[in-house]
């Protein structure tokens, strides 16, 4: 698989993280809202699920490209974590091995990471929940990994179908994971705010029994397309 | 995929819902029991899972046929909901997009819907749980959908492998989803009752250490088929 | 599928269970630790998931080979259960039907079984949780099964990719399921103990901010392979 | 899975097959054309593939409902085949076992069957190709099946997501399988003919370099929706 | 995944291959026949497919256990190949990388291997077909692999769900792959011969229009179970 | 899913295609070789398969982003095709509908396209083979699509896990699909040439029975890691 058109064995130390104020603002919104606010792009595939429910994180991406069955680079990326980061781990081939467990989580958490998004497997899920270190992964697997091959850190990666540049904003909750390019963070945060602003009013109307058909004026365009009511 | 041999763009307003007394009686039993009681038919495929555990609903089906990535007809079906209904959403192709979230749930709930069965994706799962609006879906996905194409409402559909006519009874719990044809509702409810009646006695025997081999008289037929015990 | 190169219709009554002291010692460790301790082998595939989280069992395997859609042999294996056993159910073809529910669980529990590992479907999950009878399965499905064909009991089976001999030790928790051959049980238990002994120290260092790169002396071998840091 | 809301163990002998003239006319068209001609409905899921390429059949459906791992009813359906029929085999659960091989094909062919559509596995594929007996299946598998349980013959079934009534027209080619309800056969055949009539002209224009954008007048609606060309 | 309860990094040089006369006899039969003849066991999962159709091989197994993304041990197993062997490659985790291509095939062919069964990916499929070196694999993938980790050679492995001991007989054709334990090779070959002996007669009867219902005397047992004919 | 962090409804007319000489040189090599030559990156996922075997194309990418079930933008991208291009079609969600058939192929071919890579379904496969217009797709499906929503043309896309910029070089054969960034085309072509240059010599040695163990000097590093030969 692509991942990516970059040389292997590179660790980029200095990356430009998204503006903190924009990250803070984005942290107020859920994944679905942000995804809509940036034009319905930036989601990982729906096979990425939280290892426990209820977590909601927002931070800046540090990225790592792994090879199947090998988690050596997880130790390399640990050093590049700054407080507020979210680690994005991509893999050069579909693999469900348990690249990540409680020891690495202890290290990531000590460095200030808010969580991990990994297109691979995760283990020690009971301990991770107890530590309050959330992970979104493609699988839960006790399968151990080796330390033999070089990947890269802080290069652009494709993680579960989403393109992530180091420094991008990553938001994850029970609905999934969305990536916002660093350069668009403020604009998307504003759009998310605007989007939510009028949701309360809509919700109240719908709760009162008003139909979306009427609230959104759908009856006319539906009729134009030929929607036919029969008894 | 089939779904179905019917014209598109039709909304049927008047459907015959299953008898309320039969629905009430069916609501006392779980999915597994009802499935057995009607001759081991009527289940959706096991990829249909509740977005949160512990819910148990029983109601009459209003159906909607969607197209991949388009949830426009969800607003059309909302108008056809009557208190006690369960919405059954089928899709013309396998698709995991997030057709349904908290705003639509507010509308469905205001109309009296008990829940949603959707052969597609669902989002805002945290909010839906807080609202106590249960959904059984093939995926959880924040992916937004468009409003551009006509489907149909209250036509027969195939939802996750189950054939559903509007007005049929739909029961869903942690074990999955089962559909009972409206015409058979009373008969299946009675059979479910009969089936459960003697389960208590069986359970007591088994708990006391009696073997199913003896309780069901399996030893003889097994021996006839050649079952051989060795040491 | 293989499963296995053995005749059908056999029930082996006398099996040699792993040494109880070794089983007891193994019960102190998680699946990931034991898997590592025995050389990273013995796991079932990651599609095997607990029907509820938080359970942790360790016991000796009694095995049963089922055919798709037929759970008759579950009643045959029940008789072979001894207190402390874990039932391992393999299937001659991939199948998600609900082979197991609360009645069989009542019987298994009465016989002293600690839980079930089944490469197939399970139902009555709400009741099983209430009974505190844990199951690891490939699916949850209300689909009923028949009683028509012979399988075998206490023969070697392949369950979800793991080879299991009757009497082997089976450990299962939220991370998955691992099988330890009876003959290796004490040795693996000792290795697991040794492995965990120094985890506390490692965890403390990592929590204090020491990097795995330094703690494990990874910098030199990584540099030798050509890992390059850029700014 | 649903399949169907009908009692088990029934063989319906007298079914009303679609009008022969309509079947003959439909046999002139491919699956994609017929699917479009009847309003984009009636296809089986795309996992259904021919066991060899190049076959194209059109006939009337006789249906059979199987259980996983059991092909007994294939012998029952054989008796109900009339020349020109296509056998549609559904299964009560997802299963890839080899329900069908060269001996059954010899029998089906002797009865006049044009081919088999099976939501299960098929074996002896080399021999079937040599016999010129085409099969569309979900898998190729040598796995043998038993003969122990009753299904039904000539009841409505759901085969790979398509609802099929006995007597419906079934067309299959390298693109997949489509089902046309018997009552609509003539109308769909006419629509398919009309659809193909102007395809030749379109093809010639496109081959000459005319763009679909112009031929179908797409530029204006696309611009209205906001399609923007940049350099 | 299990694979297996054996230490890593072992190469067993002396293995006991199945009796040559039995292998020769087995080579006359197809996979489906042999699978039936040994009691419907020994098949790999149906996702294992030939990279080109029409090949049929029968030989003795030399086994290799790979790790995901690493094909180093393929060079180690090459040395252990003797004329008439079939290489069985298992993997410690599900992986589709291209472990095998035309260079390794040249080496394997030079050593006398008849083909490869690999629970992983294969590449250079055009060249392999031209070389007449058949491969059954879970995927076709150009993805290259590394050479960094030890596996083992000639240990028992689980390949695509089938348990294989070195020296077992492996037969593969368009229907899949079956494994016959070395100790049973002659007995299974005899059973296969017996099974085929009366297939010709059966085929002739069925071709003449005799129904399986009559030829196998199925009518009575079906009726006893309650099969009901309606008009 | 990501795809991509770009606005919708954009058609970029002027793209910079890779240097023609480099494209010509790359066209001499297979996908596996080019993938290795550029450092084992750039492949699409292995579910992408040719609709017929034996095709081998190399050209410059024009890209299109589709929505599930909607092929309108295929007509928009047609206008942007120049002779020698390969169309790369990505989709905003996993979808197998038949976005492409013989009419569009006629148009694409008339514009000079060498083939299509589509992360979706394809139909009319018999006709496409007859036209000699190769397609690599995730599925074959007769399912028709609508024309209702805007996507974009010639934006960066993620197609089956591979990141593609318009103008990149795309090579596809029986082993899969690889993407070479335009800026690296010459360098990768040279590396591919160098790689193939010494393959002939290696092949000859291996064919003569020399082992890879000796030719690549693997014995020493394997022994160092602890590979142990036993009898």
């Amino acid at each position: 698989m692509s991942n990516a058109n970059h040389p292997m064995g590179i660790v980029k130390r200095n990356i430009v993280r998204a503006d903190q104020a924009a990250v803070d603002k984005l942290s107020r919104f859920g994944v679905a809202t942000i995804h809509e606010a940036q034009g319905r792009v930036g989601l990982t595939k729906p096979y990425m699920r939280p290892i426990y429910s209820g977590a909601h994180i927002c931070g800046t991406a540090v990225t790592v490209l792994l090879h199947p069955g090998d988690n050596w680079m997880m130790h390399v990326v640990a050093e590049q974590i700054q407080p507020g980061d979210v680690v994005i781990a991509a893999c050069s081939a579909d693999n469900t091995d348990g690249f990540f467990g409680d020891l690495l989580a202890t290290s990531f958490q000590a460095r200030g990471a808010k969580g991990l998004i990994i297109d691979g497997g995760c283990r020690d899920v009971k301990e991770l929940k107890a530590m309050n270190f959330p992970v979104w992964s493609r699988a839960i697997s006790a399968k151990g990994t080796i330390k033999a091959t070089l990947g890269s850190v802080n290069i652009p990666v494709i993680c579960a179908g989403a393109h992530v540049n180091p420094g991008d904003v990553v938001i994850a909750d029970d609905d999934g994971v969305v990536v916002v390019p660093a350069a668009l963070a403020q604009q998307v945060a504003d759009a998310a705010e605007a989007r939510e602003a009028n949701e309360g009013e809509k919700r109240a109307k719908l709760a009162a029994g008003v139909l979306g058909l009427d609230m959104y004026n759908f009856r006319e365009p539906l009729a134009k397309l030929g929607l036919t009511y029969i008894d």
Side-chain angles (χ1 to χ4, degrees), chain A:
Chain A
M1 277 135 279
S2 185
N3 231 323
N5 299 313
H6 291 268
M8 291 291 143
I10 296 296
V11 182
K12 191 154 170 34
R13 274 182 294 221
N14 298 330
I15 62 171
V16 181
R17 286 169 172 82
D19 177 69
Q20 189 59 40
V23 176
D24 289 346
K25 188 166 184 178
L26 280 167
S27 73
R28 293 162 31 200
F29 308 106
V31 167
T33 297
I34 292 170
H35 155 72
E36 293 280 356
Q38 78 170 335
R40 290 188 185 151
V41 296
L43 291 173
T44 58
K45 301 228 175 198
Y47 63 71
M48 295 292 286
R49 298 298 304 142
I51 60 167
Y52 56 88
S53 65
H56 180 181
I57 62 171
C58 175
T60 39
V62 292
T63 67
V64 56
L65 178 57
L66 306 164
H67 294 295
D70 193 317
N71 78 340
W72 212 5
M73 299 307 287
M74 294 299 262
H75 291 279
V76 178
V77 75
E79 190 176 25
Q80 306 306 316
I81 295 171
Q82 294 188 4
D85 282 344
V86 173
V87 179
I88 305 290
C91 190
S92 62
D94 287 355
N95 184 244
T96 60
D97 287 353
F99 297 89
F100 188 82
D102 69 335
L103 284 181
L104 270 168
T106 301
S107 179
F108 280 27
Q109 206 172 42
R111 306 287 298 177
K114 292 190 166 180
L116 169 69
I117 315 296
I118 181 165
D119 195 359
C122 176
R123 63 185 189 178
D124 299 334
V125 296
K126 195 176 180 178
E127 291 78 6
L128 293 175
K129 188 177 179 183
M131 291 173 63
N132 196 26
F133 190 86
V135 176
W136 284 254
S137 71
R138 78 180 298 153
I140 292 170
S141 170
K143 176 84 170 12
T145 50
I146 59 167
K147 288 164 183 62
T149 47
L150 296 187
S152 286
V153 167
N154 281 337
I155 62 166
V157 294
I158 297 172
C159 177
H163 193 258
V164 189
N165 280 297
D168 285 351
V169 190
V170 179
I171 304 94
D173 63 18
D174 286 350
D175 287 344
V177 181
V178 70
V179 181
V180 178
L184 302 178
Q186 187 62 50
Q187 167 190 333
V188 171
D190 294 345
E193 186 177 47
R195 190 178 165 84
E196 278 218 341
N198 61 8
E199 284 222 336
E201 192 188 352
K202 283 184 198 166
R203 195 174 286 109
K205 281 190 184 171
L206 294 168
V210 177
L211 287 166
L213 285 176
D214 298 310
M215 190 170 77
Y216 300 111
N217 296 313
F218 284 156
R219 292 192 193 272
E220 190 186 323
L222 285 165
K224 265 193 189 164
L225 281 174
L227 190 69
T228 306
Y229 286 80
I230 61 175
D231 290 323

